[in-house]
Amino acid sequence: MTPPDALPRVGVGVDVHPFATDDRPLALACLRWDGGAGLTGHSDGDVAAHAVCDALLSAAGLGDLGAQFGTDETQWAGAAGATLLTETVRRLGAAGWAVGNVSVQVVLERPRFAPRRLEAEAAMTAAIGAPVSVSATSTDGLGLTGRGEGIAAIATVLVVRR
């Protein structure tokens, strides 16, 4: 019988941020997007990166984004999503875990995501060092994302013991 701590583990993460009222740039899936409002947040507000961080931390039993990168830790103020992802993967490695793969879906009405989907996958894959699949959907006008008030993301990850 395989010991439970040797088995792969799955994690799920969700993040939602409203659009900011200031002139901050939109950061999404480790990319900067021109022509639209950014998202609020202690860091850059990248909901795709944040959802993946939460999923990775959950899978490895290391808590969540707030516990690892709290708002009281000023060094993370304004941090890029890619920076948080890279540091999260480093912390997983220190705990004996490696990332198998990542799937993240962004839920939004704007910006139009499809033209940059492959670029987003490449950027997130580079930050994590494991395959990342990115997809997007809308809520057809329903809820806060449908009303154009913000963007959400849902991530699922697989981690394996080193």
Side-chain angles (χ1 to χ4, degrees):
M1 185 166 142
T2 304
D5 64 338
L7 294 172
R9 295 174 72 173
V10 175
V12 175
V14 175
D15 197 45
V16 182
H17 287 274
F19 285 109
T21 56
D22 59 17
D23 60 353
R24 76 172 53 206
L26 177 60
L28 182 60
C30 296
L31 302 175
R32 294 282 185 218
W33 298 72
D34 294 329
L39 299 169
T40 63
H42 178 64
S43 64
D44 68 357
D46 184 338
V47 294
H50 295 179
V52 171
C53 286
D54 267 337
L56 290 167
L57 293 165
S58 172
L62 299 176
D64 59 26
L65 194 65
Q68 291 286 329
F69 304 97
T71 57
D72 58 332
E73 296 183 44
T74 57
Q75 73 268 30
W76 303 114
T83 300
L84 294 176
L85 285 169
T86 300
E87 178 60 17
T88 297
V89 170
R90 188 196 69 73
R91 292 178 186 197
L92 260 66
W97 295 98
V99 181
N101 73 301
V102 173
S103 176
V104 61
Q105 184 172 58
V106 293
V107 183
L108 72 169
E109 294 296 322
R110 60 178 161 77
R112 186 157 153 62
F113 195 84
R116 298 189 70 191
R117 184 183 66 79
L118 294 177
E119 186 183 358
E121 286 182 344
M124 294 190 83
T125 295
I128 294 169
V132 177
S133 174
V134 183
S135 63
T137 191
S138 73
T139 58
D140 294 323
L142 298 175
L144 71 96
T145 60
R147 291 187 301 269
E149 297 171 7
I151 300 176
I154 304 162
T156 304
V157 304
L158 178 72
V159 299
V160 294
R161 196 49 96 172
R162 286 184 158 192

